[in-house]
Amino acid sequence: MDYENEKTFQFVIVGGGIAGVTCVEQLSSQMLSADVALITAGSHIKTVTNYKQVSKTLEEFEVEERAPSVLQERFPNLTVIHSAVKSLNTQSRTIITADGRVLGYKKLCICSGSRPKLLAQDNPYVLWIRDTDSAQAFQKRLSKAKRIVVVGNGGIALELVYEVEGCEVIWAVKDKAIGNTFFDAGAAQFFIPSLEADKPEKAAPCKRPRYTTEEPAAGASQTFTADRNSLALGSAPTEPGSALGPDWHEGIILRGAELVSHRVSVEYECEVAKIFTNEELLTSPQQTLCPENVGTWPVYIQLTNGKTFGCDFIVSATGVVPNTEPFLHGNNFALADDAGLQVNDQMMTSEPDVYAAGDVCTACWEHSPLWQQMRLWTQARQMGWYAGRCMAVHVLSEPIELEFCFELFSHITKFFNYKVVLLGKFNGQGLGPDHELLVRCTKDQEYVKVVLSGGKMVGAVLIGETDLEETFENLILNQMDLTPYGEELLNPNIDIEDYFD
Ligand code: FAD
């Protein structure tokens, strides 16, 4: 089919999540007269609010879903196109959208995020949580559920099992301990009592929910409605909205049909062997069930540890896959092992004038020894910001150096109502056996772990109100030899801040 370009923009950014929106903001404020287009499949965009630089590399912020017009009001040269990209031709530098537009670009940044890895395609009993719509679909199904099985051991599973009340949760993890992506077995042990205890009363709900549930404005494309229906049915997400982020569960009541507060049991070191319905169970008499599973559960899950559980539905929380699909056909993108678009230290993919940022890309430059990529909100913002800068300076032919935020991995979050700060090689990632751990733990209060390599601090996990993040960040950044201090480093009676002042 022959298409004619509707318009060629100087910069086109695909994706209205945190990476894409931050990239647009950065570009548009750096190059006020530039012609910028944002193409996004979701009906809302994500914006960062209340941004706070906590220390040199740690940052905290909130996220709001907004109508795209908010961005257009700030940047008059910005055009927002509400449609999904269907295909890309990097030779002719054109993009075709689902609603039939053909757009040209001089420089393109792909920020299309990622989508959940699903345990089963098109199974109405397998749900996932990715965006506002899927979170609401989950909430609705949960309100009638007595038992669910959560599969996965990353951040989403961790938050879910803690937040869900009034419903028995069976949590299947493939590792020996919970939360393997974020911490070690010791920290996991620290958290286990929180799963067994009743949850503390929630603080008053925030005045304005971070995730709005407004209907799309009149004239918005079909994507939202179609997406919403498909999510409600639990089929594979096609054109997703932006991924959720910090505090996604705030303002959503995650309560099942029972009166219990918490009832979580963990099945360790297992994966899913088979998922089958009640009808399939009746026709396979060889299936053995423990007594509490016999009955009329709508779906059954068999784990590789030999156990089979009946439940109302299964939550697939086993990670994400970069959303690269519409961009690959006919082009020559180099892909990383995790299927992300490879980007260099200037956020450029292997195709000329095509950049990428956020969950869709894989950072393939030589990393600082204290940084690693994790598909997190903070990194989506940092990459979007940096990609915007790179695109602008490349037009101006100016040099640019890798941003300081890529020097040290740092992340603040909350698990089980505890503040969690992760710094550097917090889990000894890539260090082999050649490292030492110092741990301090006060039950129900704090867990502090320091990773030392060659006498220098290279990572830390801080759980609870430890107030150690800034000092430890400095110690990691300045790579001071800490051998003379030994275990005194974690002596609670020493004011470590004064010590290193
Ligand atoms: P996204 O936010 O996914 O945005 C992608 C955008 O691209 C969307 O606007 C989408 O509509 C658009 N798009 C996709 N395909 C197309 C197409 N073909 N054409 C046009 N537009 C398209 N991170 C944290 O740091 N802390 C947390 O506590 C945390 N919790 C999370 C909880 C949940 C339930 C989930 C799912 C994720 C969580 N994350 C968290 C991860 C975080 O949300 C993501 O890393 C981050 O949102 C990635 O941002 P992004 O801009 O790259 O992608």
Side-chain angles (χ1 to χ4, degrees):
M1 204 186 315
D2 251 0
Y3 291 106
E4 222 175 281
N5 269 24
E6 264 181 38
K7 180 165 179 189
T8 295
F9 291 87
Q10 194 170 2
F11 300 107
V12 171
I13 287 92
V14 179
I18 239 36
V21 170
T22 316
C23 182
V24 165
E25 288 175 325
Q26 177 56 26
L27 257 178
S28 303
S29 43
Q30 226 180 312
M31 302 193 78
L32 291 175
S33 55
D35 211 3
V36 182
L38 171 66
I39 309 177
T40 186
S43 59
H44 287 72
I45 54 151
K46 291 257 152 85
T47 55
V48 168
T49 57
N50 295 331
Y51 177 84
K52 204 165 85 192
Q53 187 83 44
V54 179
S55 63
K56 288 193 185 89
T57 60
L58 281 164
E59 51 184 50
E60 266 182 325
F61 52 83
E62 287 169 19
V63 174
E64 282 180 8
E65 270 196 342
R66 293 275 181 86
S69 55
V70 175
L71 262 190
Q72 276 169 307
E73 280 157 24
R74 278 175 61 201
F75 305 112
N77 284 342
L78 173 70
T79 307
V80 179
I81 295 159
H82 184 201
S83 185
V85 170
K86 219 173 81 189
S87 65
L88 163 70
N89 185 329
T90 56
Q91 279 194 344
S92 60
R93 292 171 190 245
T94 49
I95 280 173
I96 300 176
T97 61
D99 62 2
R101 288 181 231 217
V102 186
L103 304 161
Y105 65 84
K106 295 212 170 111
K107 288 195 184 294
L108 167 70
C109 189
I110 302 174
C111 305
S112 50
S114 56
R115 60 177 195 283
K117 270 185 209 157
L118 287 186
L119 288 169
Q121 294 288 336
D122 296 325
N123 184 328
Y125 298 109
V126 177
L127 303 193
W128 65 92
I129 295 173
R130 174 71 195 157
D131 48 24
T132 313
D133 289 346
S134 50
Q136 284 169 359
F138 168 75
Q139 179 194 23
K140 204 166 149 206
R141 291 278 288 270
L142 180 68
S143 65
K144 299 191 190 94
K146 292 184 176 151
R147 184 196 286 165
I148 63 171
V149 176
V150 175
V151 183
N153 204 10
I156 297 170
L158 266 172
E159 287 187 90
L160 257 190
V161 295
Y162 181 71
E163 290 303 324
V164 166
E165 290 182 272
C167 177
E168 184 187 353
V169 177
I170 292 164
W171 185 12
V173 302
K174 67 174 173 8
D175 313 291
K176 283 189 181 139
I178 61 164
N180 201 48
T181 324
F182 291 97
F183 27 74
D184 60 6
Q189 236 12 71
F190 174 84
F191 282 121
I192 287 286
S194 305
L195 281 183
E196 287 155 4
D198 281 355
K199 269 170 52 185
E201 283 294 304
K202 272 218 162 120
C206 47
K207 284 193 199 93
R208 197 148 85 76
R210 288 181 176 91
Y211 301 100
T212 57
T213 55
E214 295 161 41
E215 289 300 316
S221 100
Q222 289 294 309
T223 315
F224 188 76
T225 323
D227 201 24
R228 190 169 268 230
N229 288 342
S230 71
L231 284 160
L233 291 168
S235 60
T238 46
E239 288 158 4
S242 314
L244 297 172
D247 303 335
W248 61 273
H249 41 76
E250 263 182 41
I252 311 180
I253 298 162
L254 295 181
R255 176 159 270 291
E258 304 273 82
L259 283 173
V260 291
S261 169
H262 254 147
R263 220 169 128 204
V264 182
S265 42
V266 189
E267 293 293 328
Y268 292 100
E269 292 185 90
C270 62
E271 293 185 48
V272 178
K274 203 173 153 197
I275 295 171
F276 46 94
T277 59
N278 194 30
E279 293 78 52
E280 285 164 329
L281 177 76
L282 294 173
T283 54
S284 73
Q286 73 275 22
Q287 202 61 59
T288 47
L289 294 178
C290 27
E292 70 267 28
N293 278 305
V294 182
T296 50
W297 293 103
V299 66
Y300 291 82
I301 181 167
Q302 188 186 345
L303 302 173
T304 48
N305 63 7
K307 295 189 192 169
T308 301
F309 296 94
C311 59
D312 289 291
F313 63 87
I314 296 156
V315 184
S316 177
T318 49
V320 293
V321 208
N323 258 331
T324 54
E325 213 263 311
F327 309 98
L328 301 183
H329 183 74
N331 300 315
N332 242 331
F333 283 104
L335 295 182
D337 289 347
D338 63 3
L341 298 175
Q342 286 194 16
V343 288
N344 66 13
D345 60 356
Q346 316 240 320
M347 305 309 289
M348 298 170 82
T349 67
S350 54
E351 286 286 6
D353 290 313
V354 183
Y355 299 69
D359 277 12
V360 73
C361 77
T362 304
C364 286
W365 62 80
E366 197 181 322
H367 300 170
S368 139
L370 300 169
W371 187 85
Q372 62 271 333
Q373 182 177 7
M374 283 183 83
R375 289 190 163 84
L376 293 168
W377 200 276
T378 29
Q379 291 196 355
R381 195 200 71 78
Q382 292 163 344
M383 287 182 172
W385 192 89
Y386 180 56
R389 273 202 67 208
C390 289
M391 289 165 88
V393 301
H394 290 163
V395 169
L396 304 168
S397 304
E398 287 172 5
I400 184 163
E401 275 188 18
L402 193 65
E403 279 299 315
F404 183 68
C405 59
F406 300 112
E407 276 300 306
L408 173 66
F409 174 88
S410 58
H411 187 58
I412 304 186
T413 188
K414 239 182 187 187
F415 287 125
F416 298 10
N417 227 18
Y418 287 93
K419 177 175 168 183
V420 175
V421 177
L422 305 171
L423 293 169
K425 301 286 176 184
F426 59 88
N427 249 348
Q429 295 96 326
L431 297 178
D434 186 26
H435 67 276
E436 206 187 323
L437 301 180
L438 294 181
V439 176
R440 173 174 106 195
C441 180
T442 313
K443 194 173 180 286
D444 299 336
Q445 206 179 321
E446 61 160 29
Y447 177 90
V448 178
K449 181 183 85 173
V450 164
V451 185
L452 297 162
S453 177
K456 294 170 182 164
M457 196 184 291
V458 291
V461 176
L462 309 173
I463 301 173
E465 295 300 327
T466 64
D467 212 16
L468 289 170
E469 51 267 34
E470 224 176 322
T471 312
F472 281 9
E473 181 191 49
N474 282 331
L475 290 177
I476 295 175
L477 283 171
N478 68 25
Q479 287 293 282
M480 179 177 167
D481 184 4
L482 298 167
T483 319
Y485 304 95
E487 290 181 7
E488 287 298 283
L489 257 185
L490 292 190
N491 183 341
N493 302 319
I494 293 179
D495 187 342
I496 194 108
E497 222 175 316
D498 283 354
Y499 218 72
F500 290 104
D501 234 1

